[in-house]
């Protein structure tokens, strides 16, 4: 393996964008997971950093005024910039912190690209409304639903956000749930992940409530986080710069959670999504203790972001955005996380302000990075 010179990296990326994903032909009524040419993102060096002060206030939402056209019209990153944005910071439970520089490589002459654009200047202040017309969210009740896949993959962070189980000990969430772009939020050093479970054991008081008109009482069982990874693209940026492209983080738990998890996947173009829709479940703060499910159409997209008007409230940030498509190799349907719900944006559409909810797409480079964080071996990250 060898590093890609900056000009070659850019040229190959432009070629990749022109060609698109490598996808087998499939019947139009059976949307199929495409096969992508994936890069390799590997650690190169690690430095010890001073302990953070954990002084930031937890924010359950992040906003940016730069819309799709603003994002689409900005330049691609150089190879060195891509390496900088994908380098990452690791926070450990004892408060220690490291920074890891990465290299980006290609194998067998195949590669995937990075996309970056500046987000422009600050704009309108965030309104609290994230409901578009009739509220189309569904609260999920009863252990028969809450404790079964895919709803069982949604977990709650002690900082107030949502996360998704993506491996035996790993949770994917939004970076702003633990880091404000400058420092870690209060409570991150003792970060915990909450799993919904019945308040009463089988056969105990209230055990039959799931079959009655009264929803069964649920409670959270908490597991401490061992370490977190946050990309430097988020830490060096902010919501009004490039940061929103990198609003994702991975949490490693101190012990396995023993639940079925949802795999991550590279985000297909919106036109290839089943019905053009996405789905996600989260712990919206206007419905305390409830898991809230929703789905909606994707309205627009850039290389790094999906724009949609799924009804949501603060607290849903960090939810895994997923779709269900046909897995040709295994001849089965499979759900995969293709993005992370980030928050809200005001967008200037031809002089008229319009608001969207935004999800960060899992691009080939982000997939390679997150997969390596989970598995620790790039050979296990060759299929997205």
């Amino acid at each position: 393996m060898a590093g890609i010179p900056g000009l070659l990296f850019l040229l190959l990326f432009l070629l990749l964008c022109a060609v698109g994903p490598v996808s087998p032909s499939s019947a139009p009524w059976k949307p199929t997971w495409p096969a992508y040419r994936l890069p390799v993102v590997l650690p190169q060096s690690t430095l010890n950093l001073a302990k953070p002060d954990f002084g930031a206030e937890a924010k359950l939402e992040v906003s940016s005024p730069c819309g799709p056209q603003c994002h689409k019209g900005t330049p691609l990153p150089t190879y060195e910039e891509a390496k900088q944005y994908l380098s990452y910071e690791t926070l450990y439970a004892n408060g220690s912190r490291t920074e890891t520089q990465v290299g980006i490589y290609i194998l067998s002459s195949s590669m995937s690209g990075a996309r970056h654009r500046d987000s422009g200047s600050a704009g309108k202040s965030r309104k609290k409304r994230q409901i578009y017309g009739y509220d189309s969210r569904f609260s999920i009740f009863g252990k028969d639903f809450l404790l079964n896949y895919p709803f069982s993959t949604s977990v709650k962070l002690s900082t107030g956000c949502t996360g998704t189980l993506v491996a035996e000990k790993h949770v994917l969430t939004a970076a702003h749930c633990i880091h404000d772009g400058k420092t870690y939020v209060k409570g991150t050093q003792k970060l915990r992940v909450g799993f919904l479970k019945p308040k009463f054991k089988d056969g105990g008081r209230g055990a039959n409530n799931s079959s009655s008109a009264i929803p069964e009482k649920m409670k959270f069982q908490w597991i401490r986080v061992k370490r977190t990874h946050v990309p430097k693209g988020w830490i060096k940026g902010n919501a009004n710069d490039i940061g929103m492209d990198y609003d994702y983080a991975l949490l490693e738990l101190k012990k396995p959670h023993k639940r079925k998890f949802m795999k991550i996947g590279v985000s297909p173009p919106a036109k290839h999504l089943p019905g053009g829709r996405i789905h996600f479940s989260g712990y919206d703060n206007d419905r305390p203790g409830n898991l809230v499910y929703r789905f909606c159409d994707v309205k627009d997209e850039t290389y790094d972001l999906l724009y949609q008007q799924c009804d949501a409230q603060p607290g849903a940030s960090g939810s895994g955005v997923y779709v269900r498509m046909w897995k040709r190799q295994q001849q089965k349907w499979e759900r995969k996380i293709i993005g992370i719900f980030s928050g809200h944006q005001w967008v200037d559409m031809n002089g008229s302000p319009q608001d969207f909810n935004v999800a960060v797409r899992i691009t080939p480079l982000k997939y390679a990075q997150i997969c390596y964080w989970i598995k620790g071996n790039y050979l296990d990250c060759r299929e997205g």
Side-chain angles (χ1 to χ4, degrees), residues 42 370-381:
L42 287 178
I370 296 168
C371 182
Y372 185 85
W373 285 345
I374 294 171
K375 298 180 180 294
N377 182 351
Y378 74 90
L379 294 175
D380 294 328
C381 298

Side-chain angles (χ1 to χ4, degrees), residues 40-59:
V40 173
V41 178
L42 287 178
Q44 297 298 292
S45 62
T46 301
L47 300 173
N48 291 319
L49 302 176
K51 289 187 176 183
D53 60 8
F54 302 101
E57 293 293 333
K59 294 182 179 179

Side-chain angles (χ1 to χ4, degrees), residues 107-214:
L107 297 178
S108 303
S109 300
S110 62
M111 72 159 294
S112 299
R115 182 70 167 96
H116 150 63
R117 70 288 168 284
D118 295 321
S119 302
S121 58
K124 278 183 176 272
S125 62
R126 160 87 173 127
K127 285 188 178 180
K128 294 301 180 185
R129 182 177 68 87
Q130 283 180 273
I131 306 299
Y132 301 91
Y134 176 75
D135 190 344
S136 60
R137 296 173 298 164
F138 301 87
S139 290
I140 306 300
F141 296 111
K143 68 177 183 180
D144 290 342
F145 291 102
L146 287 168
L147 302 184
N148 284 316
Y149 187 87
F151 303 116
S152 58
T153 65
S154 295
V155 292
K156 185 176 179 66
L157 274 59
S158 56
T159 53
C161 287
T162 300
T164 307
L165 304 176
V166 292
E168 290 86 352
K169 295 175 65 176
H170 292 90
V171 175
L172 188 64
T173 189
H176 75 262
C177 295
I178 60 174
H179 196 291
D180 73 349
K182 297 179 181 179
T183 189
Y184 290 90
V185 304
K186 296 176 181 178
T188 304
Q189 187 176 355
K190 296 182 179 180
L191 186 64
R192 299 179 300 157
V193 171
F195 298 75
L196 267 184
K197 60 177 295 186
K199 199 167 187 178
F200 307 105
K201 293 183 179 180
D202 289 342
R205 183 168 58 92
N208 296 320
N209 280 352
S210 60
S211 60
S212 70
I214 304 174

Side-chain angles (χ1 to χ4, degrees), residues 354-376:
Q354 186 173 357
D355 52 340
F356 289 90
N357 283 328
V358 183
V360 177
R361 298 178 69 184
I362 298 180
T363 63
L365 274 174
K366 292 171 188 172
Y367 174 88
Q369 179 191 55
I370 296 168
C371 182
Y372 185 85
W373 285 345
I374 294 171
K375 298 180 180 294

Side-chain angles (χ1 to χ4, degrees), residues 329-343:
Q329 296 89 330
Q330 283 79 36
Q331 290 291 296
K332 67 176 183 179
W333 292 98
E334 185 174 39
R335 291 179 180 86
K336 288 184 181 180
I337 301 293
I338 61 164
I340 303 94
F341 179 61
S342 180

Side-chain angles (χ1 to χ4, degrees), residues 66-74 300 302 307 347-350:
C66 183
Q69 296 308 315
C70 165
H71 294 163
K72 293 173 184 176
T74 52
D300 205 345
T302 66
Y307 292 84
V347 178
D348 187 351
M349 303 287 283
N350 301 318

